[in-house]
C-alpha cells in the first residue's frame, strides 16, 4: 500500500525541523563553550587591572612572571603605570587608562555572563523542542 503524499510532506517538514534544531543546538553549544573559555580570561584581566590600580601610588616596580608559551614563563619587572594595553582580538590591541580598562572589562564580563545565561536558556528550549519533535 503506497504512503499518501500528505504524510510524506509532514514527515519531510518534521525532518527539516529536526535538522534545523540540531544545527541551532550545535551553534549554541559552540558559543557556550567559547563564552565559558572567555569569562575566566576576562576575570583574570580584570584582576590584573585592579591590582595595577591598587599599586598606582607606589614607586617600586612590581615583579611578575608572564607566559611566553605553554609551560614557559619569563620574569619581568613592571614599573608603576597609568596605562594598560588590552588585547581586543582580531589582531587589535588598544591602550587604555587603568580606570577606563577596568570599566571596559567589567562591562565585557557582565555582557559575557548575560550572554552565557541567554545561550543556556536557548539551549534548554532547543533541547525541549528537539525532544518534543522526536
Amino acid at each position: 500500500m503506497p504512503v499518501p503524499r500528505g504524510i510524506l510532506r509532514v514527515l519531510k517538514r518534521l525532518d527539516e525541523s529536526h535538522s534545523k534544531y540540531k544545527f541551532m543546538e550545535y551553534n549554541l553549544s559552540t558559543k557556550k563553550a567559547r563564552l565559558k573559555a572567555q569569562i575566566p580570561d576576562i576575570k583574570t584581566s580584570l584582576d590584573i587591572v585592579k591590582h595595577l590600580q591598587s599599586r598606582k601610588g607606589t614607586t617600586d616596580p612590581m615583579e611578575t612572571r608572564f607566559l611566553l608559551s605553554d609551560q614557559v614563563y619569563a620574569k619581568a619587572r613592571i614599573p608603576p603605570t597609568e596605562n594598560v594595553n588590552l588585547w581586543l582580538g582580531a589582531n587589535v590591541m588598544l591602550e587604555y587608562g587603568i580606570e577606563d580598562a577596568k570599566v571596559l572589562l567589567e562591562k565585557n564580563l557582565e555582557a559575557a555572563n548575560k550572554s552565557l545565561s541567554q545561550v543556556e536558556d536557548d539551549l534548554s528550549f532547543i533541547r525541549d523542542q528537539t525532544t518534543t519533535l522526536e
Side-chain angles (χ1 to χ4, degrees), residues 14-75:
L14 288 174
D15 188 49
E16 287 173 358
S17 295
H18 185 264
S19 295
K20 288 178 186 176
Y21 284 139
K22 285 296 182 182
F23 178 73
M24 287 187 281
E25 182 180 7
Y26 172 76
N27 285 336
L28 287 171
S29 295
T30 303
K31 186 174 182 179
K32 180 180 176 180
R34 183 181 49 82
L35 285 168
K36 281 191 165 197
Q38 188 180 38
I39 288 173
D41 290 341
I42 295 171
K43 285 180 180 178
T44 301
S45 296
L46 184 58
D47 289 342
I48 291 168
V49 167
K50 286 178 179 178
H51 181 72
L52 288 172
Q53 189 177 33
S54 71
R55 294 183 48 88
K56 201 172 185 179
T58 63
T59 57
D60 55 325
M62 174 178 67
E63 283 199 18
T64 188
R65 289 176 180 78
F66 63 94
L67 184 66
L68 289 176
S69 65
D70 291 341
Q71 304 299 321
V72 179
Y73 289 84
K75 194 182 235 186

Side-chain angles (χ1 to χ4, degrees), residues 49-111:
V49 167
K50 286 178 179 178
H51 181 72
L52 288 172
Q53 189 177 33
S54 71
R55 294 183 48 88
K56 201 172 185 179
T58 63
T59 57
D60 55 325
M62 174 178 67
E63 283 199 18
T64 188
R65 289 176 180 78
F66 63 94
L67 184 66
L68 289 176
S69 65
D70 291 341
Q71 304 299 321
V72 179
Y73 289 84
K75 194 182 235 186
R77 296 184 74 167
I78 302 172
T81 182
E82 297 290 323
N83 298 316
V84 293
N85 293 309
L86 294 180
W87 186 260
L88 301 179
N91 292 327
V92 176
M93 183 179 275
L94 289 176
E95 184 174 335
Y96 289 93
I98 290 178
E99 188 60 38
D100 292 337
K102 181 181 170 197
V103 169
L104 176 69
L105 289 169
E106 286 172 343
K107 186 181 90 175
N108 288 353
L109 181 61
E110 181 181 334

Side-chain angles (χ1 to χ4, degrees), residues 3-19:
V3 179
R5 285 182 155 188
I7 293 174
L8 290 176
R9 277 191 297 233
V10 169
L11 289 174
K12 185 178 178 182
R13 278 193 305 206
L14 288 174
D15 188 49
E16 287 173 358
S17 295
H18 185 264
S19 295

